[in-house]
Amino acid sequence: MKRCARVIGSGGYLPETIRTNEDISKLVDTSDSWIFERTGIKTRRIAGENETAASMAEIAARQAIEMAGIEAGEIDLIIVATGSPDRVYPSTGCILQHRLEIQQCVAFDVQAACSGSIFAMSIADQYIKSGAADKVLIIGSEICSRLVDWTDRSTCILFGDGAGAVLLESTDKPGILSTHIHSDGGFEDLLYCPNPQVATASAKDEKGVITMKGNEVFKVAVNTLGRIVDETLATNNLDKSDIDWLVPHQANTRIIAATARKLKMSMDQVILTLENQGNTSSASVLLAFNEAIRDGRIKRGQIVLLEAFGAGFTWGSALIKY
Ligand code: ACO
């Protein structure tokens, strides 16, 4: 009997505080119209001072566990994707495991920037297919607002905070059809976030904030996401018209629209959360997926394409029969 990973639960958490484009225009030289026209973003959520990646992950995780109707103790593996972990170590996965009062399971983090949740899903899929795990919790949780330079108008307009969760279980029916993940470390200079505490002497004066050459990242992202769509369809011997929903990483509406055009999809088949969440990095795909599952747009049996692109560069996709 062939093992496959099926989605049995999902969850999401967004912090209470809303920061609008108007609010940001009081901090830097920008405007609501510039931000909305160039990115599609109007508002984003900002974590409270006592919130962390693990605290937000816990709320999203509990929702996913409740939807799945399982006990937290049944989970074999927790994978947290985050670029804003609570601590260098222990991993946010271990902190989350303790918060969920799970005594025995494997827990670790993956760091693949905005593609993190797709990387986590791909790892989970391998564990389930191989028989090494039956129930896997994957999380994307980010406090991007603490990695942003609020005096840099080219980046501070883009990011928001939040957490998304998906619970996967082994099944003999179709679930995750395929995952595809890639990395190319040659683009470090276009998008990075230094860690000054462990930097070399020459880099120790760099600020620990997101630094990005936005328009160059934009061009690579559009081309790369076009290629990954082709790779995913070819692997599964599917046609563009077989895809019911696109759940993209929420970085920029113009990037998302280019991928939808490539798939010949109407924007009505694209799950968009960008306008009121901004780019929540590794949380964005799972937050969007959860929203569309919970509001009933994504239905059992439908084919859903998840994709993401982020620093590294890293990029990936997951094709799921929900
Ligand atoms: N308000 C007003 N003007 C601005 C702002 C702003 N907030 N930011 C930049 N500008 C100006 C620039 O200074 C520039 O002015 P100039 O022409 O006088 O030099 C002009 O606007 C155009 O700047 P661009 O950077 O070329 O603007 P662009 O249309 O490319 O939009 C953006 C910038 C939104 C960042 C876009 O490039 C983008 O979305 N890039 C991709 C981001 C992405 O996908 N990142 C990957 C995931 S993130 C992760 O992994 C952590």
Side-chain angles (χ1 to χ4, degrees):
M1 193 167 57
K2 205 170 160 217
R3 288 170 63 95
C4 194
R6 176 173 177 266
V7 176
I8 55 166
S10 68
Y13 173 74
L14 293 166
E16 234 175 78
T17 302
I18 295 171
R19 189 164 293 173
T20 65
N21 290 347
E22 295 293 345
D23 296 335
I24 295 180
S25 69
K26 291 177 191 137
L27 303 173
V28 292
D29 180 15
T30 190
S31 64
D32 175 46
S33 58
W34 194 96
I35 300 172
F36 187 63
E37 278 160 29
R38 298 287 180 118
T39 69
I41 302 167
K42 280 207 164 285
T43 65
R44 68 288 290 145
R45 300 298 185 99
I46 306 294
E49 56 183 19
N50 293 319
E51 290 187 302
T52 66
S55 74
M56 299 195 304
E58 181 186 352
I59 300 169
R62 289 195 186 279
Q63 287 178 11
I65 291 165
E66 193 187 349
M67 185 192 277
I70 65 160
E71 296 296 323
E74 293 176 55
I75 294 168
D76 304 305
L77 171 63
I78 296 173
I79 310 173
V80 176
T82 184
S84 44
D86 294 30
R87 297 181 184 274
V88 173
Y89 46 75
S91 69
T92 307
C94 284
I95 298 171
L96 176 63
Q97 180 208 36
H98 184 65
R99 280 175 167 265
L100 294 174
E101 297 169 67
I102 301 174
Q103 307 302 327
Q104 277 190 16
C105 82
V106 178
F108 57 83
D109 290 0
V110 296
Q111 217 289 41
C114 298
S115 313
S117 56
I118 302 288
F119 276 55
M121 192 170 278
S122 182
I123 298 165
D125 188 38
Q126 314 310 319
Y127 267 81
I128 288 177
K129 272 190 196 143
S130 72
D134 277 325
K135 290 189 177 60
V136 183
L137 173 65
I138 62 165
I139 304 272
S141 187
E142 299 280 8
I143 304 206
C144 298
S145 62
R146 292 185 200 145
L147 295 178
V148 157
D149 175 356
W150 288 100
T151 65
D152 176 4
R153 70 176 183 174
S154 70
T155 53
C156 74
I157 58 164
L158 300 171
F159 295 95
D161 303 335
V166 160
L167 242 171
L168 297 165
E169 181 183 55
S170 64
T171 168
D172 55 356
K173 299 185 183 68
I176 295 180
L177 302 176
S178 68
T179 63
H180 307 263
I181 55 174
H182 298 276
S183 310
D184 185 343
F187 293 92
E188 183 182 352
D189 290 348
L190 296 190
L191 176 53
Y192 62 93
C193 183
N195 185 354
Q197 218 182 325
V198 292
T200 56
S202 60
K204 75 172 168 23
D205 292 334
E206 283 184 313
K207 288 197 279 181
V209 292
I210 299 168
T211 307
M212 179 166 72
K213 293 187 178 130
N215 53 11
E216 292 181 54
V217 176
F218 186 98
K219 286 178 216 149
V220 185
V222 169
N223 288 331
T224 309
L225 289 169
R227 285 204 311 275
I228 199 124
V229 163
D230 288 338
E231 180 187 340
T232 312
L233 291 172
T235 301
N236 293 283
N237 206 13
L238 288 177
D239 192 67
K240 293 173 176 136
S241 60
D242 295 318
I243 312 286
D244 294 301
W245 294 103
L246 175 66
V247 184
H249 170 48
Q250 314 280 320
N252 187 310
T253 341
R254 292 180 289 141
I255 298 177
I256 295 171
T259 310
R261 270 198 302 278
K262 167 101 194 167
L263 279 163
K264 296 196 166 42
M265 276 179 132
S266 116
M267 288 304 274
D268 292 341
Q269 290 171 277
V270 180
I271 309 301
L272 277 177
T273 55
L274 186 69
E275 185 169 333
N276 294 314
Q277 296 178 17
N279 178 350
T280 56
S281 192
S282 72
S284 93
V285 172
L286 299 187
L287 273 166
F289 191 35
N290 173 57
E291 188 171 302
I293 289 171
R294 285 183 180 265
D295 68 20
R297 275 178 290 173
I298 294 179
K299 296 182 179 56
R300 285 287 173 201
Q302 289 187 321
I303 304 284
V304 187
L305 176 62
L306 280 56
E307 49 87 338
F309 179 90
F313 288 145
T314 55
W315 63 101
S317 66
L319 193 71
I320 299 177
K321 182 163 184 168
Y322 181 69

